[in-house]
Amino acid sequence: MLKIENLHVTVGESEIIKGLSLEVPAGEVHAVMGPNGSGKSTLAYAVAGRSGYEVTKGDITLNSKALNEMSPDERAAAGLFLSFQSPMEIPGVAVMNFIRTALNAQRKQRGEKEISAAEFLRFARAKAKVVGLSDTKLKRPFNVGFSGGEKKRMEMLQMAIMAPAFAIMDETDSGLDIDALKMVGDVVNDLRAPENGGASRGFLVITHYQRLLDHIKPDRIHVLADGRIVKSGGPELAAELETHGYDQFAGEAA
Amino acid sequence: MTALKLTKTEQGLLAALPDGALAQALQTKGLPNRRVEGWRWSDLRTALREEKPLAKTFDGALPTEILSVSDATTLIFANGVLQTLGDLPDGVTLEQAGPTASGETNLPAGLAQSLADKKITLSITKPVKEKIYLRFIAKGSGAINTHLVVKLSQGASAHFVESYESADNPFVNGLATFDLAQESHLTRSILQPSAPEAIMVQNSFVKMAARARYDQTLIGFGGAYTRFETRIDGQGDDLTINLATAYLLSGKNHFDSTSEIRHHGLAANTEQLTKGIVRDQARAVFQGKFYVARGAQKTVANMQHKALMLSEQSEVDAKPELEIYADDVECAHGNSVGALDPALIFYMRQRGLSEEQVRTMLIGAFLGEVLQQISDETLRNALNDKIANAMEAGHEF
């Protein structure tokens, strides 16, 4: 599914990702944990194709399609979704208008039929209930004046609507209370359900804490330190990290 | 004082003018240029280096309507000459007279008065539902002058839709004066399509009596030189003034929006919003001034100018000014010039929109606030389409 091989990423003058390899097979959820500044967000941006995050070496493929040379929107059409750590506001553009236009742009690029306004509205409203956003919020300019928690709900709404082949969730849990964490779990688990095509879908969950992983059961956990994966293991690794912290990897990263 | 060496254009204009104050002003000062306050960023003298003899009669077929305005009477000015007109709506009369000698000290305005083919006076005596569409069509390479006088009687109202369409490289110079009696209401919705080789100056002088209302929306794409100057003399109490301008400039287009609103009466409510986009090597000029006289207490006036620069070579020059002599007023101005946020562009592209789609969406949203000023939905949509089409065509705004 998502395959990253010997990835090197430079931001400005500094190399942040220094030879990272990672493979998430279809149907699996992998978590990436690591201390601040270890390169977690850089990894997410590089995979999504943000300019300024220069891949100097290595390959990123999604379902064997090379992403490296694709623009961010081509990657989105290929099925890649990034839930942002700090979602943006779009003044003057209504929530529903933005999501529908974006969804249709993806569909068009994939050669699929565009979704009608009415059909979209029904679908989006149902998903909005799941993530806990009111109808009034959906009519507002996108994220403008929304709280941090509401913005994260908006990320989950888009993920639920777009039902991407592969989602990277960059600290979606930060700033969320326990109920909201459960909601994130519901959205992910719904997308993982076999009847919703979960067997061909993958997730990479970037987080500091174990608590989100109580709601989303990862198949593998990778520890990122200083731009490299320094340890990989099963779900039990999260608890170990919670107890012992990341200090144990300081030596390995250096 | 040493005599100014007149340019060819100035010499030609001087020869066409009758003796008098205007001719003398032209002779001693020349056309407004960068050394004159208010013209620093829009040097007309330089723009008119090449001589522009008085234009010939419009030749050939009129271009098809660029704006389809429903429920309107259309008046067409082709190279400054009013074409045959149909029936005017009830409550509207039109008179034509020869050009008037000018006492104007504003040179382009004075030239328009003196050199226009006819002085056209439109009198509006009651509320008029039907819109009045004024099409000013210019082509060729000559100088075209128009002089329009609009008078609204007490309680009268009208909606003018105006388009300033220039082909080739003419010098289009217009003066329109608006005299708004008590409780009258004039709405102007103005479109100026891109005219990359044309030079144009449009002066609007507005006089307002008590409780009058003036709503002006201007969508401008600029030209080799385009300047819209609006001067409002607010004499009465309780005036309502709305000026909304959107500019979209590309190529080497130049667009200047200059205004001065003078408040003399009590409790005027003035809103001025200007938003613009510049790309390529285009240049925008915004000069806005609010004057509030000592006796104009309770004036509420707000001036905002926001520009987006989409290229390194584009330029925006802005000069907002407040001159206030009353102490119990609420006056504010804001001015910001920025670029589209790369982080926002990435966010939107991550959701699947192409870079072009993102730009179109953000620019449309940015300018939407200006278009909201137009309450006539059909017209608003038509103008919105003009903007959308221009953006879809890429660099050819």
Side-chain angles (χ1 to χ4, degrees):
Chain A
M1 172 116 239
L2 183 76
K3 200 168 172 188
I4 300 170
E5 279 177 304
N6 190 28
L7 186 70
H8 290 255
V9 180
T10 302
V11 182
E13 298 289 295
S14 5
E15 184 169 70
I16 308 290
I17 302 289
K18 304 167 179 173
L20 181 148
S21 297
L22 181 69
E23 188 172 356
V24 184
E28 292 195 4
V29 173
H30 286 204
V32 171
M33 303 182 80
N36 285 327
S38 57
K40 300 190 298 294
S41 289
T42 299
L43 172 65
Y45 287 148
V47 175
R50 182 170 187 169
S51 67
Y53 292 74
E54 201 193 337
V55 174
T56 51
K57 213 177 179 182
D59 292 305
I60 310 167
T61 57
L62 179 60
N63 287 330
S64 311
K65 257 191 280 181
L67 297 186
N68 293 44
E69 300 301 316
M70 288 187 188
S71 68
D73 40 304
E74 286 166 344
R75 296 181 201 209
L80 182 75
F81 180 89
L82 171 61
S83 170
F84 282 62
Q85 192 183 138
S86 308
M88 303 299 293
E89 298 185 358
I90 319 175
V93 179
V95 170
M96 292 304 234
N97 179 29
F98 172 65
I99 303 178
R100 185 165 66 91
T101 310
L103 178 64
N104 279 335
Q106 285 190 22
R107 292 173 79 117
K108 200 171 166 193
Q109 190 143 356
R110 288 194 292 261
E112 296 167 12
K113 214 173 127 256
E114 293 192 8
I115 186 166
S116 76
E119 193 186 340
F120 175 78
L121 197 64
R122 266 198 309 280
F123 183 61
R125 276 202 179 132
K127 298 294 179 196
K129 267 210 184 79
V130 175
V131 304
L133 285 170
S134 67
D135 275 8
T136 27
K137 282 276 186 294
L138 300 183
K139 287 177 189 143
R140 296 259 296 274
F142 188 90
N143 275 348
V144 176
F146 288 21
S147 70
E150 286 168 339
K151 286 178 182 173
K152 292 295 176 72
R153 290 176 194 271
M154 191 58 77
E155 295 299 282
M156 289 302 96
L157 174 64
Q158 294 170 82
M159 191 169 86
I161 289 172
M162 287 167 176
F166 195 91
I168 300 173
M169 297 166 66
D170 186 6
E171 294 194 22
T172 301
D173 50 348
S174 68
L176 290 186
D177 59 25
I178 296 179
D179 291 340
L181 282 180
K182 184 182 171 298
M183 172 278 293
V184 173
D186 290 344
V187 172
V188 172
N189 293 328
D190 189 51
L191 287 169
R192 291 193 78 187
E195 65 273 23
N196 294 330
S200 55
R201 187 166 282 136
F203 292 86
L204 190 65
V205 180
I206 296 172
T207 182
H208 275 297
Y209 308 105
Q210 193 196 341
R211 52 181 205 161
L212 179 63
L213 305 180
D214 294 339
H215 301 279
I216 307 169
K217 295 278 175 243
D219 297 284
R220 298 280 292 165
I221 292 178
H222 309 278
V223 179
L224 184 62
D226 196 29
R228 291 184 196 93
I229 304 277
V230 291
K231 185 168 179 127
S232 296
E236 71 287 349
L237 191 54
E240 190 192 323
L241 288 167
E242 197 85 356
T243 321
H244 301 292
Y246 298 113
D247 284 352
Q248 52 180 317
F249 303 111
E252 295 175 52
Chain B
M1 186 179 154
T2 46
L4 180 79
K5 191 180 181 316
L6 295 185
T7 62
K8 270 242 162 81
T9 308
E10 287 162 346
Q11 288 171 21
L13 288 168
L14 190 63
L17 282 178
D19 285 342
L22 189 72
Q24 208 175 353
L26 180 63
Q27 196 160 23
T28 53
K29 290 187 268 183
L31 285 165
N33 57 69
R34 63 171 61 96
R35 279 180 290 278
V36 178
E37 185 62 24
W39 295 82
R40 182 148 63 108
W41 294 313
S42 299
D43 186 325
L44 185 60
R45 189 171 202 228
T46 305
L48 285 171
R49 263 183 319 254
E50 274 174 49
E51 197 179 356
K52 303 284 180 192
L54 290 181
K56 298 189 178 71
T57 318
F58 194 93
D59 162 36
L62 294 170
T64 52
E65 281 201 345
I66 58 152
L67 202 57
S68 148
V69 185
S70 59
D71 192 23
T73 296
T74 304
L75 300 179
I76 297 175
F77 293 80
N79 279 8
V81 179
L82 178 62
Q83 309 296 292
T84 41
L85 71 148
D87 291 339
L88 288 166
D90 195 23
V92 182
T93 56
L94 186 146
E95 286 169 68
Q96 305 197 50
T100 40
S102 176
E104 261 307 321
T105 49
N106 175 316
L107 253 163
L111 289 170
Q113 275 184 338
S114 303
L115 301 176
D117 169 59
K118 293 268 168 51
K119 173 171 107 172
I120 311 281
T121 303
L122 276 168
S123 302
I124 293 146
T125 53
K126 61 185 200 184
V128 177
K129 273 243 167 70
E130 203 178 326
K131 290 185 277 289
I132 297 166
Y133 180 18
L134 304 170
R135 278 186 83 190
F136 296 91
I137 301 168
K139 73 170 183 181
S141 55
I144 296 160
N145 292 281
T146 53
H147 182 198
L148 186 68
V149 175
V150 178
K151 292 178 178 164
L152 273 79
S153 311
Q154 181 164 2
S157 65
H159 186 169
F160 283 22
V161 180
E162 300 161 43
S163 59
Y164 295 87
E165 309 160 44
S166 303
D168 310 323
N169 55 345
F171 168 39
V172 179
N173 179 34
L175 168 66
T177 62
F178 300 91
D179 195 343
L180 275 63
Q182 294 187 7
E183 284 115 33
S184 64
H185 178 191
L186 178 66
T187 304
R188 296 175 70 198
S189 305
I190 306 164
L191 173 67
Q192 183 264 319
S194 175
E197 292 178 68
I199 294 158
M200 177 158 78
V201 178
Q202 290 297 336
N203 273 295
S204 297
F205 297 164
V206 184
K207 211 178 349 177
M208 297 174 73
R211 295 173 298 284
R213 175 172 175 167
Y214 181 77
D215 296 325
Q216 174 184 301
T217 308
L218 164 62
I219 316 283
F221 291 84
Y225 179 107
T226 305
R227 175 169 166 124
F228 276 86
E229 189 166 331
T230 306
R231 298 193 172 271
I232 298 180
D233 182 10
Q235 290 291 347
D237 297 340
D238 302 307
L239 303 178
T240 305
I241 300 166
N242 291 305
L243 292 187
T245 304
Y247 56 80
L248 296 90
L249 314 182
S250 67
K252 290 184 171 178
N253 279 6
H254 178 109
F255 180 85
D256 175 329
S257 164
T258 293
S259 60
E260 181 170 339
I261 303 178
R262 300 180 77 86
H263 304 86
H264 291 280
L266 291 168
N269 201 324
T270 297
E271 274 295 327
Q272 180 173 14
L273 174 68
T274 304
K275 285 185 137 186
I277 315 275
V278 285
R279 67 200 294 178
D280 306 330
Q281 297 156 65
R283 187 185 197 195
V285 176
F286 169 79
Q287 304 184 102
K289 181 174 178 177
F290 286 169
Y291 173 90
V292 181
R294 196 176 297 278
Q297 301 294 4
K298 307 282 180 198
T299 296
V300 177
N302 181 26
M303 180 198 301
Q304 297 294 329
H305 171 244
K306 293 174 189 170
L308 277 180
M309 294 173 75
L310 300 187
S311 70
E312 299 265 332
Q313 294 83 37
S314 58
E315 184 176 328
V316 176
D317 300 299
K319 190 170 82 168
E321 265 184 290
L322 300 179
E323 192 179 332
I324 301 170
Y325 296 99
D327 52 13
D328 183 17
V329 298
E330 282 175 51
C331 294
H333 69 76
N335 185 49
S336 70
V337 179
L340 290 176
D341 179 1
L344 180 54
I345 294 176
F346 170 65
Y347 181 85
M348 295 171 76
R349 293 186 74 185
Q350 204 302 304
R351 296 297 182 252
L353 297 170
S354 68
E355 191 167 8
E356 210 48 49
Q357 281 176 306
V358 168
R359 279 174 191 276
T360 303
M361 194 175 244
L362 291 179
I363 291 170
F366 178 75
L367 298 177
E369 211 184 336
V370 170
L371 282 167
Q372 285 312 313
Q373 304 286 322
I374 298 175
S375 54
D376 184 314
E377 197 184 337
T378 320
L379 184 65
R380 186 174 63 238
N381 290 340
L383 288 169
N384 210 1
D385 287 348
K386 288 282 161 213
I387 292 174
N389 291 343
M391 284 192 293
E392 263 169 36
H395 284 242
E396 282 301 308
F397 266 169

